[in-house]
Amino acid sequence: ARFRELQVRCGEISPTIVSRRLADLVAARLVTKADRRYTLTPIGRELVGLFEPINGVAIRWAASDPDAM
């Protein structure tokens, strides 16, 4: 995805913070940047796969507990 697409997905997070986090992800070799596009590396995709179930649990937990948010 291009930076602007990612910025939109991040909502109210400032462009500076998004840029810094992307640089961190590139440095950690979880994301690559080529032709002004960011792409997950194989290990980045693997980590996303691991976090998706955790995110699902967190969403269900928050929905069941109004004080959780």
Side-chain angles (χ1 to χ4, degrees), residues 30 40-56:
L30 299 174
L40 287 169
T41 63
I43 192 71
R45 284 191 296 277
E46 185 176 344
L47 282 172
V48 167
L50 293 171
F51 283 114
E52 285 175 340
I54 295 169
N55 187 52

Side-chain angles (χ1 to χ4, degrees), residues 1-21:
R2 294 187 182 275
F3 179 83
R4 182 70 183 133
E5 294 168 29
L6 296 171
Q7 174 62 43
V8 168
R9 290 182 195 177
C10 290
E12 296 183 21
I13 299 173
S14 77
T16 302
I17 296 298
V18 174
S19 181
R20 287 180 186 164
R21 295 303 168 257

Side-chain angles (χ1 to χ4, degrees), residues 1-3 5 32-39:
R2 294 187 182 275
F3 179 83
E5 294 168 29
T32 59
K33 182 181 178 186
D35 299 323
R36 298 172 41 187
R37 296 186 69 83
Y38 293 91
T39 306

